[in-house]
Amino acid sequence: MSEQAADYFSMLGVPRQFDVDEASLTRAYRELQRSVHPDRFAGGSDRERRLAVQKSSQINEAYETLRSVTRRAAYLLKLAGHPVDTSNTTFSDPEFLMQQLQLREELSDLHDATDPEAALDAFYRDVDNAMAEQKAVFVTGLDADIEQAKAAYAKLQFLEKLRSEAEQKESELLDY
């Protein structure tokens, strides 16, 4: 398979950029999956069925990667020749550290809020605003300062994890 064909953006027919039109991405994904779905090759040879399963799996991986903010960011960094490993990431940005402390405190205080749903909505707004800031920094950095893009990617990972924790907490709060 050529490098061009291996590019998830090319595979799904969307521009190679951080901001993707999710509706177009989903439409392209569904069309591709219909064309290579293994059921279409049920009467084919073993090789045809195996290739259909492989192609379907590749399309799924491409879609899941481009659909996720952090996976898409990591993929763009990889395509730019700068794969990332954030397993040992530490943040030295005092503003970001303070923001994270505030968000963590906000998250832990949700159980004690007089209106947990309103508090949760405010928390999501805060996290989404922080993510929007880091997305903008990532896009700028990808074109001009790869280290800035890598730092923004690490921050996006942290924020995404925090949002995921809030979603788990939301189900606990709303079960009361």
Side-chain angles (χ1 to χ4, degrees):
M1 182 176 279
S2 72
E3 188 60 37
Q4 181 70 5
D7 177 324
Y8 293 165
F9 292 94
S10 298
M11 181 187 297
L12 290 167
V14 296
R16 187 192 285 195
Q17 60 191 31
F18 182 69
D19 293 319
V20 295
D21 176 5
E22 296 221 12
S24 296
L25 179 66
T26 299
R27 203 170 23 259
Y29 163 74
R30 288 181 179 149
E31 287 172 17
L32 273 173
Q33 279 297 26
R34 269 193 294 276
S35 71
V36 300
H37 196 277
D39 289 348
R40 291 186 58 152
F41 299 90
S45 69
D46 284 345
R47 183 176 186 280
E48 288 173 324
R49 287 193 307 270
R50 200 170 41 255
L51 287 173
V53 168
Q54 270 182 337
K55 189 66 176 171
S56 180
S57 176
Q58 289 170 342
I59 293 165
N60 282 336
E61 176 64 22
Y63 178 66
E64 291 303 321
T65 297
L66 298 186
R67 216 175 111 200
S68 162
V69 169
T70 53
R71 287 182 67 184
R72 184 171 59 246
Y75 186 66
L76 282 165
L77 286 167
K78 178 182 168 190
L79 289 176
H82 300 278
V84 290
D85 173 18
T86 56
S87 57
N88 295 323
T89 300
T90 57
F91 298 106
S92 58
D93 177 351
E95 189 177 317
F96 184 73
L97 292 172
M98 287 303 296
Q99 180 185 49
Q100 296 323 299
L101 287 172
Q102 176 189 353
L103 288 169
R104 285 255 166 233
E105 189 174 312
E106 207 176 316
L107 181 61
S108 68
D109 290 346
L110 287 175
H111 276 294
D112 301 327
T114 54
D115 185 351
E117 285 187 54
L120 193 58
D121 288 344
F123 176 81
Y124 282 140
R125 247 187 333 274
D126 292 345
V127 171
D128 291 346
N129 288 339
M131 287 188 80
E133 287 174 24
Q134 292 308 317
K135 288 175 188 178
V137 171
F138 178 83
V139 169
T140 301
L142 196 57
D143 291 333
D145 181 353
I146 206 70
E147 292 307 314
Q148 179 184 5
K150 286 180 178 181
Y153 162 71
K155 291 173 183 177
L156 281 167
Q157 275 193 309
F158 184 87
L159 291 164
E160 188 175 72
K161 183 176 184 236
L162 194 60
R163 194 174 209 302
S164 177
E165 289 173 25
E167 289 167 356
Q168 289 174 337
K169 195 165 224 171
E170 178 178 15
S171 64
E172 296 169 18
L173 286 171
L174 300 181
D175 283 347
Y176 284 7

